[in-house]
Amino acid sequence: QILSHTMFHSTSNGYYHFEYTDCDVQGSRWRVSIPNKPDTCTGLPDPVKGTHCTFTCNEGEYLDMKTQECQKCAAGTYSLGTGVAFDEWDSLPAGFISQGINMEFGNMLTNCTNSTWTPKGDHIASNTDECSSTLSYAVSLKQPGSVSFQYFYPDSNIFFEFYVQNDQCQSTDSQSRWLKSSESDWDTHYVQLNSGNNILYWRTTGFSLSSNSVKPVLLKNIAISGVAYTSECFHCKPGTYSDKPGAARCAPCAADTYSNKGATVCQECEKEKYSGIGSGTCQDRPACTATDYFYTHTPCDSTGQTQLMYKWIEPKICSENAEGAVKLPASGEMQTCPPCNPGFFSDNSSVCHTLLIYVMFTECSECPVGTEPVVGFEYKWWNRMPGNMRSSVFSQEYSDTQRSTGWEVAGEYIYTTPGDLDSDLMMLTLTVPGYSLPQSLAKDNERAELSRITFVFETKCTADCRLFFMAGLNERNNALAESWRGTNGKQSYSYLIKSNLTVSFTWGFQRTEYSSDFAKIYSVHITNVIGGVAAECRQCAMDSSHKDSACVPCPPGHYMLKGTGVCKSCPSNTFIRPEQPLGEEACIPCGPNTRSNQARSACVSDCTLAVKYRGQTLQYNFSPLGNITHFQSSPRFTSKGLRYVHQFSVGLCGTEGRALASCVDNVTDSSKEVSGYVCQSVTVPSEVRGQSVVSSQPFVIGSTLIGVTTESTLDHISSSEDSFPADSESDLPDVIFYYRAKETTQACKNGRSASIRLRCDPKVTAMDQVYVPSKCSEGTCDGCSFHFLWRSQHACPLCSERNYKEIVSACIEGIQRTTYVWQQPLRCTGGVSLPAPRVSACVTLDFWLKFGVSVGTVAAVLLITISCYFWKRTRKLEYKYSKLMMNAGEKECDLPAADSCAIMEGEDAEDDLIYLTKKSFFTRIKSFSRERTSDGFDSVPLKSSSGMEMEMN
């Protein structure tokens, strides 16, 4: 906890010592004597006036409390004057507190009592499990001061922060408290402190997603300035000394010497023993073996010859006189020099010359008109170390050791030499001034590649070893790009350079047990380097507006005919490869439902597309899903129970100048950020660190949009329907976006890819309902191909006229209404709107019913009247016919004279009804169709009486 009083200083004097009281408002204080034994209360010196509170001592001095004056530290000791230093860690120094914080992961409480910092002699090491461990130190400063310390932070699986809290409980800014990881060297951290009480915190939280062991954070040489004085001097630690009084620090002993604690001089080791720099003991020299020397080549002489030279590894620690020791092989064997590297030429001297022109065999030539040099560096012959490469050995024990025997040239390759210690890191650094694209390559926003470095390497390890490749601004600010563990066969690796700030590249090889393990680099090739050399010429377009016919890039969407400087337009909807566009094969067709951008360097989508499906065209608009969307995988847990998730960011589509999805690493000061269509990072919930969410290990899954289609395979990327079974009630296809990332890794030789399957679900209104395959909870089963299912109502096709129907109401009071409703289940969104209801005039059913009854009644009356009329006429005709037949019966051969066929007035046709022989229905009909004669009577056809039978009633 924060101290509530002044930090007292004391000096021992037998059974009592002196201390100062608190300072009053005037800066005054008293010196009082304090008994070393609580029961002693007599014979103590009286209190005296103390020095003013502003009193301080210089470095190399301490305050003698008896005389209250500064005295020089004796030889063999040192002091910082107004500071304190901690460089011995055999045990936890007084004032330091190490505490493991018990953590609650869900419903499980993890006991972290034993997860503390551990002293290791010359440094202190952090815990390596998932618990959070804090190392703290409280100090009261009389004046503004500072704290500095050295740290080694090699493993990003541990979160490491340093912060300070003062009297006002103000803490260090959260953005500056996270320390940058260091792969190859001790780094120094410096923070200014305010006067008053300050508590310093070093805090770590382990977080390992793999089975590999986690490397701890190491601390040493903690120095605090701003205290008024120190009341005692510190003894020099073993391996260091101070030979004069008043030393502010102790110097390390040279190699092959040693010293004990508080030494004033270093002692020489015995003849058959050795020691390193700053060593407190000497060790027996082992017998020399073949791993204690290496071979190299001398520079080529004027005859094109080089000498094979053997050298002992420096500093030499082995003994040639011990039993079984090997001797250094004889040097001087002459060998033919390898040729100069591409872009260099030799003029029969020992030096390879460079020029920014085309190299043809052994001399330089100007590039022909219409071509330009391909500038860069390519090293594949290793007769001497290139001027912009440096070899060194870093030892965690002696950080100031600089030796040039880390990597040595061997003709066809460069290789690592054996090291002094298993922990030595063999470092090879390449530095370039910057990059510049050739004139024939246009710079555009879609071009991610500024340069590319490619190297061929090989490692051989008997046990465990590791090769690191780092890239950054300089050797001290390099970020790990890739690493390889164990034995690796000869292979090639390429790294894309996207920023002019990446100008330093470092290879580091670390063995763990056997000094015979090695790493070899056969070739290194880096392109578009400022100040580079050229080994070939590249065809380019010509600018007729310049007298010197300078090379210019072809216009966007054009490729260059091979062997000429003529640019020809690519077919529509294609894009050009980022590298030099030569030949029609440089025009790459855009994938389905995408189009080329303005620079014709990539294909983009505007979130709209039309799909032919089952004889109809479905229109889609995914614009509501086009914003940057974040989603997470299901929670996962480490062996200790630490909860973490994989967080994905997606920018589904977009046009020119689109906003890209980004993922960051906020654990270290480097704040690495990657961007693309799809990216992933690992996040730890905020309750772990008490601050914002921790995000780490970001990488891009999709940087290029391949196409948008309903097919389950595109450009060798498959989105299996088995991973996301279709809904039984759905009759719509899934729309799939396909992406690819160019960056290759050791595990993903062809880069990463991603597919996002959009599925129509009208019930989902949220924008982040994205799912991963049930059998691959992290979105991928192989670490290279990622698959996602995005359910949303905005993934449905646009609504059209076929998605609604009309409903016509009954006619009420002469008004009829027509309304429109969506067909259910509705599986569309946006598009057309429902038409407004329509109102129209109509005739009611009552009117037609009344009209029909009236017409029916009239028709019935008319039909009855006609029927009665024809019935009466029929009866009269039958009567007349009967009379004729009766008269005809009197004379068989003569027809009777017709008196009259008409019914005379007063006769009643019904008086004497005669029934004739039965006639057929058609005969009766014919009888109705007789013709009327001109005299006004009806003519009735009669048969002979002999042919008829009449029955009279």
Side-chain angles (χ1 to χ4, degrees):
Q1 297 185 1
I2 297 178
L3 300 178
S4 59
H5 55 81
T6 302
M7 187 176 179
F8 294 147
H9 298 274
S10 63
T11 183
S12 176
N13 187 15
Y15 61 90
Y16 67 89
H17 64 272
F18 294 114
E19 290 184 3
Y20 279 133
T21 62
D22 286 334
C23 296
D24 58 24
V25 294
Q26 297 179 347
S28 300
R29 57 187 171 185
W30 290 83
R31 189 199 71 179
V32 296
S33 54
I34 305 297
N36 293 330
K37 295 182 180 180
D39 297 337
T40 305
C41 297
T42 59
L44 299 177
D46 295 331
V48 298
K49 191 76 171 180
T51 60
H52 196 269
C53 289
T54 59
F55 174 83
T56 61
C57 290
N58 296 324
E59 61 180 17
E61 298 178 342
Y62 72 100
L63 177 63
D64 184 353
M65 291 292 287
K66 185 174 182 180
T67 61
Q68 299 195 66
E69 293 181 353
C70 295
Q71 304 289 339
K72 286 187 176 183
C73 290
T77 62
Y78 73 99
S79 80
L80 301 178
T82 58
V84 291
F86 303 95
D87 52 12
E88 290 188 60
W89 298 92
D90 295 322
S91 60
L92 203 63
F96 280 88
I97 300 175
S98 180
Q99 183 179 10
I101 302 174
N102 291 334
M103 307 185 69
E104 184 175 355
F105 303 127
N107 297 325
M108 181 178 63
L109 183 64
T110 301
N111 186 357
C112 299
T113 305
N114 296 325
S115 299
T116 58
W117 291 71
T118 306
K120 297 289 186 179
D122 63 340
H123 63 269
I124 185 171
S126 72
N127 64 312
T128 57
D129 55 23
E130 287 87 2
C131 292
S132 183
S133 178
T134 301
L135 178 69
S136 61
Y137 182 75
V139 63
S140 179
L141 303 185
K142 300 301 181 182
Q143 58 190 11
S146 65
V147 58
S148 65
F149 56 88
Q150 288 182 285
Y151 71 94
F152 186 64
Y153 176 23
D155 200 330
S156 59
N157 287 318
I158 289 184
F159 304 144
F160 178 40
E161 58 182 326
F162 171 75
Y163 59 96
V164 181
Q165 286 185 337
N166 57 19
D167 287 346
Q168 292 76 36
C169 292
Q170 296 174 337
S171 182
T172 304
D173 181 78
S174 60
Q175 295 301 320
S176 61
R177 62 198 295 169
W178 296 95
L179 300 185
K180 174 184 173 296
S181 60
S182 54
E183 280 288 351
S184 59
D185 202 353
W186 288 86
D187 288 323
T188 300
H189 191 64
Y190 175 88
V191 175
Q192 292 185 336
L193 302 176
N194 296 326
S195 59
N197 295 318
N198 292 269
I199 301 184
L200 316 180
Y201 292 95
W202 294 265
R203 183 161 129 175
T204 60
T205 301
F207 179 59
S208 177
L209 301 183
S210 62
S211 59
N212 297 331
S213 59
V214 178
K215 297 180 180 179
V217 177
L218 309 181
L219 287 179
K220 69 177 183 179
N221 296 338
I222 300 176
I224 305 171
S225 66
V227 298
Y229 51 82
T230 177
S231 59
E232 59 182 348
C233 296
F234 301 97
H235 292 283
C236 292
K237 68 177 183 178
T240 63
Y241 72 99
S242 64
D243 54 356
K244 296 179 180 179
R249 60 191 56 83
C250 298
C253 292
D256 296 330
T257 63
Y258 73 99
S259 69
N260 297 317
K261 185 176 181 179
T264 59
V265 66
C266 295
Q267 306 294 325
E268 292 285 343
C269 291
E270 298 178 9
K271 183 177 181 181
E272 291 303 318
K273 291 187 177 183
Y274 76 100
S275 69
I277 299 175
S279 177
T281 59
C282 294
Q283 300 178 12
D284 294 332
R285 292 183 181 272
C288 290
T289 65
T291 60
D292 291 310
Y293 63 85
F294 64 95
Y295 66 93
T296 185
H297 294 79
T298 62
C300 293
D301 57 23
S302 58
T303 62
Q305 297 290 308
T306 179
Q307 291 188 38
L308 181 63
M309 304 294 294
Y310 292 91
K311 298 180 181 180
W312 291 112
I313 294 174
E314 297 295 340
K316 182 183 176 184
I317 62 174
C318 66
S319 172
E320 299 179 65
N321 301 323
E323 183 179 355
V326 300
K327 301 295 183 180
L328 187 68
S331 300
E333 179 185 349
M334 301 301 294
Q335 296 180 347
T336 303
C337 282
C340 292
N341 282 309
F344 297 81
F345 76 97
S346 175
D347 57 356
N348 295 325
S349 68
S350 62
V351 180
C352 291
H353 301 280
T354 64
L355 283 176
L356 283 175
I357 51 181
Y358 175 52
V359 177
M360 179 71 73
F361 301 108
T362 58
E363 60 182 14
C364 292
S365 304
E366 293 285 348
C367 283
V369 175
T371 64
E372 63 179 346
V374 181
V375 177
F377 287 113
E378 183 178 5
Y379 304 115
K380 62 180 181 180
W381 301 109
W382 303 92
N383 181 58
R384 63 165 56 196
M385 187 71 71
N388 57 352
M389 298 184 76
R390 183 176 64 86
S391 171
S392 62
V393 177
F394 166 72
S395 174
Q396 295 182 16
E397 188 171 352
Y398 316 114
S399 60
D400 57 348
T401 301
Q402 293 293 333
R403 293 169 287 170
S404 59
T405 57
W407 294 72
E408 281 292 341
V409 295
E412 295 182 353
Y413 53 83
I414 184 172
Y415 74 106
T416 56
T417 60
D420 297 342
L421 303 173
D422 292 339
S423 59
D424 285 350
L425 194 66
M426 309 298 181
M427 299 176 63
L428 178 67
T429 302
L430 167 65
T431 305
V432 297
Y435 313 94
S436 177
L437 287 173
Q439 294 179 355
S440 62
L441 295 184
K443 178 67 177 177
D444 58 75
N445 294 331
E446 294 290 341
R447 187 183 301 279
E449 181 177 338
L450 181 62
S451 176
R452 180 191 295 259
I453 182 170
T454 304
F455 59 92
V456 178
F457 71 96
E458 176 188 10
T459 61
K460 180 182 178 182
C461 300
T462 305
D464 187 25
C465 67
R466 195 173 181 186
L467 176 66
F468 303 94
F469 174 67
M470 296 163 279
L473 183 60
N474 52 55
E475 187 177 354
R476 298 285 180 173
N477 189 23
N478 276 344
L480 180 65
E482 188 62 272
S483 65
W484 298 265
R485 189 182 296 274
T487 299
N488 293 271
K490 191 175 181 180
Q491 58 186 277
S492 175
Y493 174 78
S494 293
Y495 178 77
L496 299 183
I497 301 165
K498 303 179 181 180
S499 170
N500 252 323
L501 297 178
T502 307
V503 293
S504 176
F505 307 92
T506 300
W507 294 264
F509 181 72
Q510 186 176 41
R511 58 177 64 88
T512 56
E513 183 176 352
Y514 297 93
S515 59
S516 60
D517 296 348
F518 64 84
K520 292 181 180 180
I521 295 179
Y522 291 89
S523 65
V524 177
H525 185 204
I526 183 169
T527 63
N528 302 337
V529 179
I530 296 176
V533 297
E536 59 180 338
C537 296
R538 173 179 17 223
Q539 191 73 43
C540 61
M542 302 298 295
D543 187 1
S544 59
S545 61
H546 290 75
K547 294 181 180 180
D548 56 356
S549 297
C551 285
V552 296
C554 284
H558 288 67
Y559 67 93
M560 189 179 303
L561 293 176
K562 295 181 179 179
T564 69
V566 178
C567 295
K568 189 174 181 180
S569 177
C570 281
S572 59
N573 206 30
T574 61
F575 70 97
I576 303 294
R577 295 182 184 273
E579 55 270 14
Q580 176 69 22
L582 285 177
E584 190 174 2
E585 59 272 14
C587 303
I588 305 174
C590 286
N593 296 302
T594 63
R595 58 177 179 81
S596 57
N597 59 356
Q598 290 181 353
R600 300 291 288 273
S601 59
C603 294
V604 295
S605 168
D606 60 359
C607 277
T608 63
L609 73 152
V611 174
K612 295 285 187 180
Y613 184 70
R614 294 183 179 179
Q616 58 183 348
T617 301
L618 303 178
Q619 300 288 341
Y620 289 89
N621 186 355
F622 302 122
S623 297
L625 304 178
N627 298 326
I628 306 302
T629 304
H630 307 281
F631 62 93
Q632 296 179 342
S633 66
S634 57
R636 301 179 65 83
F637 299 88
T638 62
S639 58
K640 276 277 189 176
L642 177 63
R643 178 177 178 268
Y644 69 94
V645 296
H646 289 100
Q647 176 163 311
F648 300 91
S649 295
V650 175
L652 186 67
C653 49
T655 54
E656 213 81 28
R658 69 187 183 278
L660 297 177
S662 63
C663 300
V664 300
D665 178 0
N666 61 9
V667 176
T668 65
D669 287 339
S670 60
S671 298
K672 179 183 178 182
E673 180 176 359
V674 298
S675 58
Y677 282 99
V678 190
C679 63
Q680 177 198 297
S681 60
V682 176
T683 61
V684 180
S686 58
E687 61 264 24
V688 172
R689 43 176 294 208
Q691 301 290 330
S692 60
V693 173
V694 172
S695 176
S696 65
Q697 305 174 22
F699 60 87
V700 175
I701 298 174
S703 58
T704 304
L705 177 61
I706 303 300
V708 185
T709 178
T710 57
E711 300 296 329
S712 58
T713 301
L714 180 65
D715 193 25
H716 306 292
I717 305 175
S718 296
S719 176
S720 175
E721 297 180 2
D722 297 336
S723 300
F724 305 106
D727 300 333
S728 58
E729 69 276 5
S730 175
D731 59 348
L732 294 174
D734 293 338
V735 178
I736 309 173
F737 282 71
Y738 291 93
Y739 307 92
R740 192 184 297 279
K742 297 179 181 179
E743 289 80 1
T744 61
T745 64
Q746 185 179 2
C748 304
K749 303 295 185 182
N750 298 320
R752 297 184 177 95
S753 63
S755 65
I756 300 180
R757 182 180 288 264
L758 301 184
R759 180 167 296 174
C760 173
D761 193 339
K763 300 184 294 297
V764 178
T765 58
M767 297 294 184
D768 57 351
Q769 296 298 306
V770 186
Y771 305 88
V772 297
S774 58
K775 59 182 179 181
C776 306
S777 59
E778 298 178 7
T780 178
C781 296
D782 58 5
C784 301
S785 300
F786 292 77
H787 307 282
F788 307 99
L789 172 65
W790 195 340
R791 288 181 173 270
S792 174
Q793 65 178 5
H794 300 291
C796 299
L798 297 178
C799 295
S800 62
E801 289 79 1
R802 63 176 175 272
N803 296 112
Y804 64 80
K805 61 183 179 180
E806 66 177 18
I807 298 178
V808 181
S809 67
C811 186
I812 302 174
E813 297 180 356
I815 297 177
Q816 189 174 52
R817 301 179 185 274
T818 303
T819 57
Y820 299 88
V821 296
W822 296 112
Q823 294 185 3
Q824 298 299 325
L826 180 63
R827 303 189 69 83
C828 66
T829 183
V832 300
S833 302
L834 285 175
R838 290 189 295 108
V839 178
S840 59
C842 65
V843 180
T844 63
L845 180 62
D846 292 344
F847 171 81
W848 290 109
L849 183 61
K850 293 177 181 178
F851 178 77
V853 171
S854 300
V855 172
T857 302
V858 173
V861 172
L862 182 60
L863 182 61
I864 292 173
T865 303
I866 294 174
S867 299
C868 292
Y869 169 75
F870 281 105
W871 182 76
K872 286 185 136 188
R873 289 290 304 269
T874 303
R875 296 295 297 270
K876 289 179 180 182
L877 289 175
E878 289 179 351
Y879 171 73
K880 288 182 178 183
Y881 183 73
S882 299
K883 285 185 71 175
L884 289 174
M885 293 301 294
M886 290 176 63
N887 293 334
E890 296 177 0
K891 295 180 179 181
E892 292 184 4
C893 299
D894 298 328
L895 290 175
D899 295 335
S900 175
C901 290
I903 298 176
M904 296 293 107
E905 185 178 356
E907 291 181 335
D908 189 355
E910 296 181 0
D911 291 344
D912 297 314
L913 181 61
I914 300 174
Y915 289 94
L916 303 178
T917 305
K918 294 181 180 178
K919 301 183 177 76
S920 66
F921 176 77
F922 291 103
T923 304
R924 293 183 180 182
I925 293 300
K926 291 180 180 179
S927 67
F928 292 147
S929 61
R930 64 186 180 276
E931 297 181 359
R932 186 177 294 273
T933 62
S934 60
D935 59 1
F937 295 96
D938 296 332
S939 61
V940 179
L942 299 176
K943 289 185 179 181
S944 171
S945 60
S946 61
M948 302 289 298
E949 291 185 1
M950 301 183 63
E951 181 180 352
M952 303 295 293
N953 291 328

